[in-house]
Amino acid sequence: MSFVSLAVALSACNVDDPPASTGGARGASCERFAVVRSDYASTQIALVDDGGRVLSANVVSSGSTPSGATSALSGDVVLPHDAPAAGKVVLIDRFPNGILTWLDAETGAVEGQLNVVPGFPANPHDYLDVAPGKAYVTRFGSNTNPGKVAFDEGGDLLVVDTARRSLSKRIDLSGYGGGVDPRPDRMTMAAGRAYVTLSRLDATFERGEDGLVVVIDVTSDEVVDTIPIPGLKNCTNLALSPDARALAVSCSGLYKVPGAAQMAASGVVVFELASKKELLRGPASTIGAALGSSLGFPTSRTVVAVANADAGDQILAIDLETAQAKVLHQTSPFAAGDMFCGCGGRCLVPDADAASLLAVDAERVAPLAALTGSGLPARAVSAIGKSSDDH
């Protein structure tokens, strides 16, 4: 045996075995939440209750390939913006893997996986169930040399047959880039329409067009409307108010062009959904920091957003009636993760510093129970619908 072979063999003896799966957990709507825990090299998926207490510490992790899976998780895993169909957890393994993984939340079993980036690492950013057996997937990257295999274009929405775990067709969004790549990002659903943010950035991320939301009829799979966001760039995330009357969009500006130029192109905008009328604009200059990509509505009157200040992330509450923004909490830089809102008048925000979820309403922030079972920071959270046989 060579010296190198011996060294590898000996070092392998000191590698910890991947943690065993702790299965799933039963529960009704807003009683179970999926949490992504990651240091961007390793990933674990946990389930917690509405108090943040861990129900299952390791449903699945990047350390192993469980039964039903053909690919292990990477360190770049996110959850869908809108909670998937009842009893399911969907994982979006973004770049470069490009894999969707469906989990049964009750048993923790992997139900299937699907490669959504054939021939090109198109970097899927979101997943949205739009009808029984049908979902959309946004693909952030665009292929400059497509046509080698089916569905290798990117810059689009893929239509997924969730029953067959297969790709049905694509909705091309290249015509909505305005001279740069469209970069479709996050999605939400209202009244039979999917609302999709376009970040509209070039390949260097140094140039961008004004933000845009495209509106897609989920029956015809066609773009039927757009919502322009003049003056703001890199608009990545969005949120629907609980009464479904307003849509909030966060725009971060260009990170590759920091300082005053980024601040001038960053902010939160709230639109009346029916008329597309702009109800509120909270510029980054008045907030004091560029906006991040996490936001939501705990109530129809309040938007909670995360701003990325030099000293750390600021969790803000913005009153839609007074247009006043209030800093509720601060973390270290980029420690506030992807939030989920819509259960009990509050948003849940992962806090990588505190190793817990934060419960955020219009007035205050309260830490929930400590996240046990792993040393990995919490990065994203989403609710899980009730099990199919629960009543």
Side-chain angles (χ1 to χ4, degrees):
M1 179 181 289
S2 70
F3 176 79
V4 173
S5 299
L6 178 61
V8 171
L10 291 174
S11 65
C13 296
N14 296 320
V15 175
D16 292 335
D17 291 333
S21 173
T22 51
R26 292 178 64 85
S29 299
C30 293
E31 290 182 355
R32 297 176 300 171
F33 298 84
V35 177
V36 175
R37 307 186 70 174
S38 177
D39 59 5
Y40 303 118
S42 300
T43 299
Q44 279 183 234
I45 307 302
L47 301 182
V48 303
D49 67 12
D50 58 358
R53 293 170 289 270
V54 173
L55 301 172
S56 177
N58 180 47
V59 183
V60 66
S61 74
S62 56
S64 63
T65 305
S67 176
T70 57
S71 175
L73 299 178
S74 75
D76 186 15
V77 176
V78 297
L79 298 167
H81 180 280
D82 286 9
K88 307 300 178 189
V89 176
V90 177
L91 308 178
I92 307 159
D93 199 340
R94 300 199 303 185
F95 186 86
N97 283 12
I99 300 288
L100 298 181
T101 301
W102 285 266
L103 303 174
D104 184 302
E106 183 178 327
T107 65
V110 174
E111 295 188 332
Q113 290 185 312
L114 177 63
N115 178 4
V116 293
V117 295
F120 171 71
N123 197 358
H125 270 210
D126 205 2
Y127 169 100
L128 179 67
D129 281 318
V130 297
K134 178 180 177 180
Y136 288 163
V137 174
T138 54
R139 298 201 296 179
F140 191 75
S142 294
N143 192 350
T144 59
N145 188 27
K148 302 297 190 294
V149 299
F151 300 108
D152 69 350
E153 298 91 346
D156 54 19
L157 265 66
L158 288 181
V159 182
V160 175
D161 182 329
T162 58
R164 293 182 172 87
R165 310 271 194 254
S166 64
L167 305 180
S168 299
K169 62 179 177 178
R170 62 185 290 266
I171 304 170
D172 182 16
L173 297 175
S174 60
Y176 296 90
V180 295
D181 294 335
R183 301 203 181 276
D185 208 323
R186 299 299 247 175
M187 300 180 282
T188 194
M189 180 94 163
R193 292 182 168 188
Y195 293 78
V196 186
T197 56
L198 302 187
S199 297
R200 304 176 94 195
L201 302 169
D202 72 357
T204 69
F205 296 90
E206 295 177 352
R207 186 169 70 89
E209 300 289 345
D210 286 355
L212 188 71
V213 175
V214 294
V215 185
I216 297 174
D217 182 288
V218 302
T219 300
S220 66
D221 300 323
E222 294 180 352
V223 177
V224 294
D225 204 353
T226 61
I227 305 176
I229 309 173
L232 301 183
K233 301 182 187 298
N234 194 16
C235 301
T236 58
N237 208 348
L238 75 178
L240 186 69
S241 64
D243 60 11
R245 293 181 178 178
L247 184 76
V249 182
S250 64
C251 306
S252 300
L254 303 179
Y255 286 108
K256 287 290 191 74
V257 189
Q262 181 186 3
M263 291 284 285
S266 176
V268 174
V269 183
V270 181
F271 298 92
E272 183 181 60
L273 202 62
S275 67
K276 301 191 293 183
K277 176 185 176 183
E278 190 172 301
L279 301 175
L280 175 145
R281 179 173 290 225
S285 57
T286 63
I287 293 170
L291 273 295
S293 61
S294 187
L295 87 165
F297 284 88
T299 69
S300 293
R301 175 176 168 165
T302 305
V303 172
V304 168
V306 174
N308 302 136
D310 290 340
D313 291 348
Q314 297 175 346
I315 300 177
L316 311 166
I318 305 172
D319 189 303
L320 300 189
E321 294 185 7
T322 65
Q324 296 298 306
K326 177 167 60 176
V327 177
L328 300 178
H329 187 76
Q330 184 159 326
T331 71
S332 65
F334 302 104
D338 293 338
M339 72 177 71
F340 178 84
C341 308
C343 289
R346 63 180 187 171
C347 297
L348 298 181
V349 182
D351 184 349
D353 291 337
S356 72
L357 301 179
L358 305 175
V360 182
D361 61 24
E363 299 293 335
R364 63 190 63 83
V365 172
L368 300 183
L371 291 170
T372 58
S374 172
L376 293 172
R379 302 294 184 184
V381 61
S382 184
I384 304 167
K386 66 180 181 179
S387 303
S388 58
D389 59 347
D390 287 343
H391 298 285

